[in-house]
Amino acid sequence: QITLKESGPTLVKPTQTLTLTCTFSGFSLSTSGVGVGWIRQPPGKALEWLALIYWDDDKRYSPSLKSRLTITKDTSKNQVVLTMTNMDPVDTATYYCAHAYYAIFDIWGQGTMVTVSS
Amino acid sequence: QSVLTQPPSVSGAPGQRVTISCTGSSSNIGAGYDVHWYQQLPGTAPKLLIYGNSNRPSGVPDRFSGSKSGTSASLAITGLQAEDEADYYCQSYDSSLSGHWVFGGGTKLTVL
């Protein structure tokens, strides 16, 4: 059974850097075709894809946020970390990580709400 | 403004059939990239509903079906049930700007 869980701060101040960790079980990030993605959803708004890291360490980023995002993986710990710099109140959202088989986000974590406020 | 366009809302009575459209362009759906659909029940994480345009994951009722043609895709729900009331999102790949994944703006389905 595949499960994912996001963890990180619930509140960050403007200009700070957000670090979120996705801890997963039930699959290996060394398996061909497998990846972990991050998607966010501002309150009452649509889903927005942020980043994706594949088994071969191929990393993809949203063009509009690329300069602020870094995604890394620790295969031995079954974790994927997303950092987002220069946080702004518009970045307030629920952040999800999801298991990806190529481009399909087939299993999602429960999400973690992050509020950006001074 | 989302790269994939969905109607903000649709509604239908129990037992009826509804469709949700997802309109893209020549750099995403029209380029041949697959479309996937997700269902998000209130207060929960999205769940994969349809993958590869028309395939259902195990456990998804056959009341849900997907199709794709040209630069658009559609999700159809037949035999509408109260439990289907949710937000629905389409997703695809876009080859512009070095390539990235995109979601539609979401459609709120109300069961009357």
Side-chain angles (χ1 to χ4, degrees):
Chain A
Q1 178 192 6
I2 291 175
T3 64
L4 305 98
K5 187 170 184 179
E6 308 85 352
S7 60
T10 57
L11 178 66
V12 298
K13 289 180 167 50
T15 75
Q16 285 187 335
T17 294
L18 171 68
T19 299
L20 294 173
T21 300
C22 177
T23 303
F24 58 85
S25 63
F27 69 96
S28 171
L29 204 35
S30 299
T31 302
S32 179
V34 171
V36 171
W38 285 93
I39 303 100
R40 72 178 178 180
Q41 185 174 37
K45 296 189 177 182
L47 301 171
E48 178 184 19
W49 173 73
L50 300 177
L52 178 60
I53 189 166
Y54 281 116
W55 81 100
D56 58 359
D57 211 39
D58 182 14
K59 302 170 185 177
R60 309 291 183 92
Y61 296 102
S62 164
S64 62
L65 294 167
K66 185 174 183 177
S67 63
R68 298 173 55 204
L69 295 174
T70 302
I71 190 169
T72 59
K73 64 181 175 70
D74 187 329
T75 305
S76 64
K77 292 184 178 178
N78 282 354
Q79 291 182 332
V80 170
V81 175
L82 180 76
T83 61
M84 181 180 291
T85 62
N86 195 24
M87 293 292 285
D88 183 272
V90 299
D91 296 314
T92 294
T94 297
Y95 288 75
Y96 296 99
C97 65
H99 172 275
Y101 186 67
Y102 289 102
I104 306 167
F105 299 110
D106 54 356
I107 307 291
W108 294 58
Q110 64 187 25
T112 186
M113 178 67 192
V114 178
T115 301
V116 185
S117 174
S118 55
Chain B
Q1 197 164 0
S2 302
V3 172
L4 304 179
T5 301
Q6 299 180 234
S9 64
V10 297
S11 63
Q16 285 190 332
R17 178 181 186 269
V18 297
T19 61
I20 298 173
S21 61
C22 175
T23 302
S25 67
S26 58
S27 62
N28 41 69
I29 299 175
Y33 295 110
D34 284 343
V35 177
H36 317 301
W37 291 90
Y38 301 86
Q39 177 193 58
Q40 186 175 32
L41 297 170
T44 69
K47 167 192 164 187
L48 180 65
L49 195 64
I50 297 286
Y51 68 94
N53 306 315
S54 59
N55 301 291
R56 286 186 308 277
S58 174
V60 173
D62 59 6
R63 302 187 295 104
F64 295 90
S65 62
S67 63
K68 175 187 145 183
S69 178
T71 58
S72 295
S74 289
L75 172 70
I77 310 172
T78 59
L80 207 55
Q81 299 181 3
E83 66 209 49
D84 299 333
E85 188 160 293
D87 293 323
Y88 293 85
Y89 293 90
C90 59
Q91 177 229 327
S92 188
Y93 180 81
D94 192 288
S95 60
S96 66
L97 302 172
S98 301
H100 57 289
W101 286 270
V102 290
F103 285 94
T107 299
K108 169 67 177 177
L109 168 62
T110 300
V111 180
L112 302 171

